[in-house]
Amino acid sequence: MASSNPRTLRIRNRAMKVRDEESVSPLIAEACAGIDELLQAAEAGESLEGLCTVRTRKLELKPREYGPKEVRGVRMKLKASQALLARFMGVNTKTVSSWEQGTRKVPPMARRYLDDLVDIPVLWATRTGSGVKVK
């Protein structure tokens, strides 16, 4: 698939030169040549549009809220004791108990971990060997 685009031809020629001089794989050589071309274009003040692809994603990373009923619900789905869930999460058994009684709020890091246990049940099953599948 030959291209007559001057920039593409420069990159391919530079890639062949890099591959031969540096004894690197063709893929690495092409990546280096592409980076060289990008830097030259930037230094020359050229528009970089079309030279590279930039993708952005908006992620909702705030963990869900977990009240006493939700914490107990997750634990029941896992068929776990408070002690086992606490050990798994790296907290004291009294901490899990206080979350379930509502005397302490579940901190963001623990909420994120609970999210993962609910959303990716294989984590629990694999790490505990329980075979429990959470839906």
Side-chain angles (χ1 to χ4, degrees), residues 73-86:
V74 171
R75 188 171 61 78
M76 292 292 104
K77 285 181 183 179
L78 297 173
K79 298 180 182 173
S81 65
Q82 287 181 345
L84 179 57
L85 182 61

Side-chain angles (χ1 to χ4, degrees), residues 70-103:
E70 291 81 14
V71 174
R72 189 171 196 287
V74 171
R75 188 171 61 78
M76 292 292 104
K77 285 181 183 179
L78 297 173
K79 298 180 182 173
S81 65
Q82 287 181 345
L84 179 57
L85 182 61
R87 185 171 181 202
F88 185 90
M89 295 184 69
V91 299
N92 190 294
T93 303
K94 290 180 183 179
T95 301
V96 173
S97 177
S98 67
W99 293 343
E100 289 188 10
Q101 293 171 12
T103 57

Side-chain angles (χ1 to χ4, degrees), residues 26-45:
L27 183 62
I28 297 296
E30 189 167 346
C32 290
I35 291 169
D36 285 347
E37 187 73 22
L38 178 67
L39 292 173
Q40 289 173 7
E43 288 172 355

Side-chain angles (χ1 to χ4, degrees), residues 61-66 106 108 111-112 114-116 118-119:
L61 297 175
K62 184 177 178 185
R64 293 186 285 269
E65 292 294 327
Y66 286 87
V106 183
R111 292 188 343 244
R112 177 157 332 270
L114 289 170
D115 283 349
D116 287 347
V118 170
D119 296 342

Side-chain angles (χ1 to χ4, degrees), residues 39-59:
L39 292 173
Q40 289 173 7
E43 288 172 355
E46 294 178 33
S47 169
L48 301 182
E49 190 173 317
L51 197 61
C52 57
T53 302
V54 177
R55 292 181 179 91
T56 58
R57 262 191 187 166
K58 184 175 181 175
L59 301 175

